[in-house]
Amino acid sequence: MTEIATASAAELAGLERLAPALVEETGKTGWSEVGAELISGGKSNLTFLLSSPAGELVLRRPPTGELLPSAHDMLREARVQSALAASPVPVPRIVKADAGELIGIRCYVMERIPGHIIREALPAGYAGTADERQRLGFAFIDTLAALHSVDPDQVGLAGYGRPVGYAERQVRRWTRQWESSRTHDVPEVDELADRLSGHVPAQQATSIVHGDYRIDNCVFDLDDPGKVNAVLDWELSTLGDPLTDLGYALMFWRHPGEPPISSLTPTVTDQPGFPTRSQLLERYAHATGLTLDDLDFHIALAHFKFAVIAQGVANRSREGAMGGQDFGNLDHEILALARAGLDLI
């Protein structure tokens, strides 16, 4: 195991320098006694629960080790969350964002939002009825529709991205990321990139795009499964084609009998009672007014994108850059993702 992998949570969170900064920022001396605990589940960046006599906050920072170009930009996350604070999209309040002077790398601290983050299993006694599961699914898709209905100019995000030609640039970007991170040839991934490049549909709308919208990036209310308290993990957010978000979200939404798309993203929606993908699409289209004729392209793009993400996760895990988390060999999953994408385009 590498020295990086054995670094303590306190070291990775930079508590020696972070603690006095939090005291100054909040005016609460209790933050001088802060402790840090790595929150498992993060596959890209590192997330820490900060606990002190003054309360709890959350720290987000990139993984250790060498980073791919344009990846893990914590200040983008902080910017978009700050911009959306007054919008219908629920986000945690940013307490402090730092460009690297504080703990030696870009990071931010945000409030901790109470609620359930749902990964491989529903919490005991939560969303146990078909009605509650349907409301959970509808809250999930309604929150995405709400995000895509926000005017970027009205919330101060004009210039946050280059929306024209977004999907085409996404194909190029993730192709470059694949070339930077792959450890061996996977012809199916290369073929999927080629097909996507040759079949980019016209963009019918521009919106704020989350970039990684999944059920486990939402915080659901402790008492009401039909309410999303916060949307997390805005690292890949920008301005672009909203259907890329929709295609990505639908890729992870599994029906009963369907396996998870990846071991990195366990599912609960394969249990009875959750809305079907068709129901989610109907609700989204009604809320946004968008037509979904080209959605297969965007779902195929999602498969390509997540195959590349999985390769990056595997690399960082192997190099000990994920705070000791080990995600194993993902080669077979990357191949399966590429093949599933090829079936769509």
Side-chain angles (χ1 to χ4, degrees), residues 47-344:
T47 305
F48 296 88
L49 175 62
L50 305 176
S51 302
S52 80
E56 295 181 331
L57 294 170
V58 173
L59 168 72
R60 289 271 289 170
R61 58 149 292 166
T64 55
E66 185 177 353
L67 305 180
L68 291 172
S70 77
H72 313 287
D73 190 343
M74 296 292 91
L75 294 191
R76 282 187 70 82
E77 285 199 21
R79 179 184 173 188
V80 72
Q81 288 178 220
S82 296
L84 290 171
S87 79
V89 181
V91 290
R93 178 179 60 88
I94 300 298
V95 174
K96 185 172 182 62
D98 185 78
E101 293 82 4
L102 187 56
I103 66 170
I105 196 165
R106 290 184 172 190
C107 68
Y108 69 92
V109 177
M110 61 183 173
E111 67 176 333
R112 186 192 184 198
I113 302 294
H116 292 302
I117 297 177
I118 299 170
R119 294 191 175 98
E120 67 276 3
L122 289 165
Y126 190 76
T129 69
D131 176 70
E132 289 174 330
R133 292 179 180 186
Q134 184 177 70
R135 291 196 300 111
L136 188 153
F138 287 163
F140 171 77
I141 203 68
D142 290 350
T143 302
L144 183 63
L147 172 65
H148 293 164
S149 300
V150 172
D151 185 335
D153 293 350
Q154 293 296 315
V155 296
L157 289 177
Y160 187 63
R162 293 182 296 148
V164 177
Y166 172 73
E168 183 177 1
R169 286 198 311 280
Q170 280 285 288
V171 175
R172 291 201 302 267
R173 173 189 176 179
W174 290 102
T175 299
R176 290 194 301 268
Q177 297 283 54
W178 170 247
E179 292 170 350
S180 299
S181 62
R182 64 180 173 183
T183 56
H184 60 282
D185 288 336
V186 185
E188 290 85 349
V189 176
D190 296 329
E191 173 64 19
L192 181 54
D194 288 342
R195 288 195 199 177
L196 289 167
S197 180
H199 293 84
V200 179
Q203 182 171 321
Q204 62 175 300
T206 292
S207 74
I208 303 167
V209 172
H210 180 275
D212 194 16
Y213 193 75
R214 309 189 310 256
I215 194 171
D216 58 321
N217 278 332
C218 295
V219 181
F220 289 88
D221 189 81
L222 289 170
D223 300 315
D224 182 2
K227 180 182 179 184
V228 175
N229 284 347
V231 179
L232 308 176
D233 199 358
W234 294 86
E235 175 197 348
L236 299 176
S237 62
T238 187
L239 303 185
D241 190 331
L243 293 189
T244 60
D245 262 353
L246 182 62
Y248 193 76
L250 266 290
M251 176 181 68
F252 295 107
W253 196 271
R254 313 304 288 169
H255 289 168
E258 293 179 341
I261 200 70
S262 166
S263 64
L264 297 175
T265 55
T267 186
V268 298
T269 66
D270 60 346
Q271 300 178 29
F274 283 96
T276 65
R277 287 188 289 266
S278 294
Q279 288 175 306
L280 296 183
L281 289 176
E282 181 180 2
R283 195 171 179 97
Y284 176 89
H286 178 76
T288 62
L290 296 175
T291 60
L292 308 180
D293 297 342
D294 298 315
L295 191 59
D296 277 354
F297 168 88
H298 294 283
I299 300 175
L301 175 58
H303 281 78
F304 176 56
K305 174 179 171 179
F306 199 72
V308 180
I309 289 173
Q311 182 65 71
V313 169
N315 292 349
R316 290 191 296 275
S317 175
R318 185 171 54 252
E319 293 162 2
M322 295 303 297
Q325 298 178 96
D326 183 5
F327 300 107
N329 188 314
L330 300 175
D331 288 352
H332 65 292
E333 295 192 12
I334 294 167
L335 177 59
L337 282 159
R339 287 174 172 170
L342 287 171
D343 288 342
L344 290 163

